Amino acid sequence: NAGVTQTPKFQVLKTGQSMTLQCAQDMNHNSMYWYRQDPGMGLRLIYYSASEGTTDKGEVPNGYNVSRLNKREFSLRLESAAPSQTSVYFCASSPQSGNNYGYTFGSGTRLTVV
Amino acid sequence: KNEVEQSPQNLTAQEGEFITINCSYSVGISALHWLQQHPGGGIVSLFMLSSGKKKHGRLIATINIQEKHSSLHITASHPRDSAVYICAVDNTDKLIFGTGTRLQVFP
């Protein structure tokens, strides 16, 4: 069972470069999420997609864009990377948005911006 | 003050010890999640609970809604339990995460 697959696992970017983090789930979940994890802080929501065709900003959306390509895939794009975006990024999915649904997380992407 | 507080931040134990990790929250919730993250690894969901107690193997999670408090217990701890344990609460369609408790279990 693949669950939630993220690529790449590691990436080093120079300031100003762009890149797209890919996320795919094979559980037929409707909702997908992008989080970032920084030392000493809890995971913070960047963007989410409650269902195919919809996306919404989370707590820390500045500097990012997302695309819900289809029900399976939810990508996160950094148009012009900054050192403040150095972080570990996690994609997650759940059957529905809202309460009382479990979440499945990917294995993370460790991004360093120099 | 963070909306989700975990204690302790760091915990070391000898193999076989009984472990307790605490989570307190200050917002209304519909469910609370316990997650496990191994070094350099992904995040795995351990429990989702909205009342009472759940058990899975050597892990037990409890929640007291009135006191806004949850505990994660590990019985007969083992070095493979070494990980970061994260508490997260479901609050109006989004998860709010604690900063995690780093557990190290030594043989």
Side-chain angles (χ1 to χ4, degrees):
Chain A
N1 294 335
V4 176
T5 302
Q6 287 183 238
T7 56
K9 291 193 185 303
F10 301 94
Q11 184 71 49
V12 179
L13 289 179
K14 293 182 179 179
T15 297
Q17 287 185 319
S18 63
M19 79 161 295
T20 299
L21 281 64
Q22 307 284 355
C23 175
Q25 51 89 12
D26 62 2
M27 297 168 287
N28 202 37
H29 285 175
N30 284 307
S31 302
M32 298 184 74
Y33 310 82
W34 276 105
Y35 295 94
R36 60 178 288 172
Q37 184 180 40
D38 300 297
M41 303 181 74
L43 277 80
R44 293 180 292 168
L45 182 64
I46 305 171
Y47 270 94
Y48 68 101
S49 171
S51 61
E52 185 179 358
T54 69
T55 60
D56 286 287
K57 295 179 180 180
E59 183 184 353
V60 288
N62 290 346
Y64 305 95
N65 285 300
V66 290
S67 295
R68 184 74 183 267
L69 303 169
N70 47 55
K71 192 170 186 179
R72 289 185 67 249
E73 299 173 287
F74 188 39
S75 62
L76 179 71
R77 183 159 178 85
L78 286 71
E79 291 290 352
S80 179
S84 61
Q85 295 178 303
T86 293
S87 188
V88 182
Y89 292 85
F90 286 95
C91 178
S93 70
S94 66
Q96 297 283 357
S97 64
N99 302 324
N100 294 328
Y101 290 98
Y103 293 78
T104 303
F105 289 82
S107 57
T109 296
R110 187 173 295 272
L111 175 67
T112 302
V113 183
V114 298
Chain B
K1 189 179 188 296
N2 291 337
E3 293 167 304
V4 179
E5 298 272 3
Q6 289 185 235
S7 64
Q9 286 188 304
N10 295 284
L11 184 56
T12 59
Q14 288 294 126
E15 184 173 356
E17 285 185 4
F18 182 83
I19 304 291
T20 296
I21 299 170
N22 296 298
C23 176
S24 296
Y25 53 92
S26 59
V27 295
I29 71 167
S30 59
L32 182 143
H33 303 257
W34 281 103
L35 310 167
Q36 180 191 56
Q37 183 176 23
H38 282 284
I43 296 170
V44 175
S45 179
L46 298 175
F47 294 103
M48 180 178 72
L49 64 166
S50 54
S51 65
K53 175 179 173 178
K54 287 190 175 180
K55 184 175 188 291
H56 184 245
R58 295 179 295 106
L59 273 60
I60 303 166
T62 64
I63 188 168
N64 184 319
I65 295 294
Q66 287 71 33
E67 294 186 3
K68 295 190 173 182
H69 181 270
S70 176
S71 293
L72 177 68
H73 305 286
I74 305 174
T75 62
S77 60
H78 189 277
R80 65 175 174 266
D81 296 325
S82 297
V84 175
Y85 292 84
I86 301 170
C87 172
V89 299
D90 259 318
N91 173 258
T92 59
D93 286 7
K94 63 181 173 71
L95 286 179
I96 305 173
F97 293 82
T99 56
T101 295
R102 184 174 300 276
L103 171 65
Q104 291 184 291
V105 182
F106 294 98

